[in-house]
Amino acid sequence: MWIAAYDGLYCSAASEKFDFRVLDKVRTIHTFGFGKAKPGNDYPAIYLMA
């Protein structure tokens, strides 16, 4: 699960039961979105303007 907040990007693995961690080096987010996965992968691309 991903949460995009103005003060950073937070993620939590499904197995961690909502133990969110902030991603380093992302201090401010203005726009955030997901894109189509790269061929051969099932994980979507992540786009952000920070």
Side-chain angles (χ1 to χ4, degrees):
M1 178 183 284
W2 294 87
I3 295 179
Y6 181 76
D7 65 342
L9 182 61
Y10 300 83
C11 71
S12 175
S15 62
E16 295 178 9
K17 306 247 182 193
F18 301 108
D19 180 24
F20 288 94
R21 297 183 184 155
V22 66
L23 271 63
D24 292 340
K25 300 181 183 179
V26 178
R27 303 283 185 233
T28 304
I29 295 177
H30 299 283
T31 304
F32 175 79
F34 289 104
K36 185 176 179 180
K38 189 167 93 173
N41 291 332
D42 58 353
Y43 195 81
I46 299 172
Y47 299 95
L48 63 95
M49 180 186 288

